[in-house]
Amino acid sequence: MVLACGVDFGTSNSTVGWARPGQPALLALEDGKPTLPSAVFFNADDDTVHYGRAALAEYLEGYEGRLMRSLKSLLGTSLIEGQTEVAGRALPFRMLLTQFIGELKRRGEREAGRAFRHAVFGRPVFFVDGDPEADRLAEETLAGIARAVGFEEVGFQYEPIAAAFDYESRIGQEELVLVADIGGGTSDFSLVRLSPERAGRAERRDDILASGGVHIGGTDFDKYLSLAAVMPLLGYGSMLLSGAQVPSSYYYNLATWHTINQAYTRKSVAQLDELVRDAAEPAKLQRLCRLVEDRAGHWLALQVEEAKIGLSSAAAVDMALDRLAPPAVLPVTRAQFDGAAAELVESVAATVAQLLRDAMVQPGQVDTIFFTGGSSGVTALRERIAALLPAARKVEGDLFGSIGSGLALDAARRFG
């Protein structure tokens, strides 16, 4: 048995994989499930820390405290060197990530019944678009955190390549595959030659024709849906008596997972109180103020996320916004979502088209599109990618587990 694991630290969900003959690679991390939502809740009522589904449940049950989600989005930004306040104490963001990844390691080892000394971590093709130095620092930061929690050796693998390894374990002949990994924070693609014969090779560099990615993922779709459908109820796009528009920064903070807590600062609250007096539609701004006072921004983001997921299989959904004052039921249609996300979809499609050009591959040469990542269920995005390769088979992997399983296989090859 190898003492190496694969760690998929995701923007929305995380997994730990361990390659064992004849057994599933992914280890159960919470309530028998292989995924642990990438969320931490600091419960101020009893001074405890909760992770994953338990963190979200504690927050939604109304306990006083601080919810943190989309932790991976901090990598590659200046925020990683900053800090936030939790229960009156300063908490460096780097320490926050260390706590979460340490918890992933502990849970994986508990389930496996042994310690893991080595790990292969997944990483997006680009942590940061167009900034190689920031991208390098993001990987170095994650490697340092991994070593700090007890991994002696740490390797990295592009997340779509890891997903390709998982898919390769189930095919019977050679295929040229476009792996489309649409996660919570990034959309990553790799064009790879896969086959049962190639699977045993330790070196796969020649099988990878091209990789590319863009910093667009599920949380961006959440944000644009929120701004288009929900934030107007709170005054987004409305006017002040002076004729100026209400500043948009409050709404962007509330619509973006990793900046929601910035809406709760004393300065922000004081500014909102002043805006109410100057608003042409004060009732909308008062609703925003009450939402901020109740620290219900994460609750609202969860409702938007659920609506996005619902629109993957339905033409319309109703958002029950019962914590707004007054409460509201907001109908949202897929057409509305598609319109809000159109620019994001085209940016992702342009990334795929460039990838094919880089690889000097014609669309008709691609045998299969392998979709993975929780956000690959966004209908407009999936259809747009498929339209670029109309002759290719469309295969759906384990949306939340393919990367972790592939990382486990890669860890076994590297360290086994």
Side-chain angles (χ1 to χ4, degrees):
M1 289 289 189
V2 296
L3 298 181
C5 65
V7 180
D8 177 20
F9 170 45
T11 302
S12 300
N13 292 278
S14 297
T15 64
V16 177
W18 179 34
R20 297 160 292 169
Q23 297 186 58
L26 296 184
L27 297 165
L29 299 180
E30 185 181 25
D31 300 332
K33 298 179 175 65
T35 56
L36 182 71
S38 302
V40 183
F41 182 68
F42 297 90
N43 187 318
D45 289 339
D46 55 14
D47 196 25
T48 55
V49 182
H50 303 268
Y51 299 90
R53 294 171 188 80
L56 298 172
E58 292 267 314
Y59 168 76
L60 291 174
E61 285 173 17
Y63 288 100
E64 287 293 321
R66 186 76 179 272
L67 178 69
M68 306 291 286
R69 202 180 175 197
S70 294
L71 312 178
K72 187 178 181 180
S73 300
L74 296 167
L75 292 169
T77 73
S78 58
L79 284 174
I80 193 64
E81 302 302 336
Q83 59 187 31
T84 189
E85 183 179 311
V86 175
R89 299 185 295 270
L91 176 67
F93 285 121
R94 188 184 292 264
M95 180 58 67
L96 175 66
L97 266 64
T98 302
Q99 288 180 335
F100 184 79
I101 291 172
E103 184 68 15
L104 275 179
K105 185 174 187 287
R106 282 189 293 274
R107 292 186 184 213
E109 290 177 335
R110 184 175 62 211
E111 181 67 18
R114 63 183 59 215
F116 292 123
R117 300 192 184 96
H118 317 298
V120 175
F121 275 71
R123 57 151 293 165
V125 175
F126 301 114
F127 279 106
V128 183
D129 294 339
D131 191 339
E133 179 61 17
D135 190 79
R136 182 186 65 79
L137 288 173
E139 183 178 294
E140 284 187 359
T141 299
L142 185 53
I145 289 171
R147 287 190 289 268
V149 303
F151 289 115
E152 297 170 10
E153 290 189 76
V154 180
F156 287 92
Q157 181 58 266
Y158 289 145
E159 289 159 355
I161 298 297
F165 292 156
D166 178 51
Y167 175 62
E168 187 175 49
S169 69
R170 299 192 296 276
I171 62 176
Q173 62 185 14
E174 181 168 310
E175 297 181 18
L176 180 57
V177 180
L178 174 72
V179 180
D181 169 28
I182 318 297
T186 59
S187 296
D188 293 308
F189 303 91
S190 288
L191 196 60
V192 195
R193 292 196 185 281
L194 303 174
S195 73
E197 293 74 25
R198 296 172 188 268
R201 298 176 184 174
E203 177 54 63
R204 301 298 301 276
R205 192 172 304 171
D206 292 342
D207 295 334
I208 303 167
L209 278 65
S211 290
V214 63
H215 209 264
I216 293 172
T219 56
D220 298 288
F221 288 98
D222 293 345
K223 176 171 72 175
Y224 278 75
L225 177 58
S226 181
L227 290 170
V230 181
M231 292 301 165
L233 295 176
L234 309 178
Y236 177 58
S238 65
M239 308 302 291
L240 300 173
L241 295 174
S242 66
Q245 195 171 76
V246 174
S248 62
S249 58
Y250 306 104
Y251 305 100
Y252 274 80
N253 281 339
L254 282 172
T256 306
W257 273 104
H258 65 280
T259 60
I260 289 172
N261 287 305
Q262 294 181 23
Y264 303 152
T265 65
R266 293 186 182 89
K267 180 180 178 181
S268 180
V269 170
Q271 290 173 340
L272 283 175
D273 287 340
E274 292 181 11
L275 284 173
V276 170
R277 293 191 289 271
D278 298 330
E281 299 177 85
K284 292 182 177 180
L285 272 293
Q286 288 168 352
R287 177 180 260 176
L288 172 62
C289 287
R290 283 192 287 268
L291 179 85
V292 170
E293 288 168 6
D294 293 343
R295 296 193 169 221
H298 289 91
W299 162 81
L300 184 61
L302 284 167
Q303 309 316 304
V304 174
E305 183 181 41
E306 288 183 10
K308 175 195 70 178
I309 294 169
L311 290 170
S312 296
S313 57
V317 297
D318 287 335
M319 296 179 63
L321 303 177
D322 53 291
R323 289 181 65 176
L324 293 186
V329 175
L330 179 65
V332 183
T333 66
R334 184 184 292 171
Q336 190 177 8
F337 178 36
D338 290 349
E343 186 176 336
L344 299 177
V345 169
E346 286 308 310
S347 293
V348 174
T351 301
V352 176
Q354 184 61 52
L355 181 80
L356 295 172
R357 288 193 292 270
D358 290 344
M360 294 184 288
V361 167
Q362 296 300 312
Q365 294 176 277
V366 178
D367 299 304
T368 305
I369 307 172
F370 181 68
F371 288 101
T372 188
S375 298
S376 65
V378 174
T379 304
L381 180 59
R382 196 181 185 110
E383 291 176 350
R384 185 69 180 87
I385 294 171
L388 294 172
L389 302 166
R393 293 189 308 127
K394 286 72 178 176
V395 177
E396 182 175 290
D398 180 342
L399 297 188
F400 299 103
S402 289
I403 293 171
S405 296
L407 290 171
L409 292 171
D410 199 24
R413 278 196 288 260
R414 293 195 199 194
F415 300 116

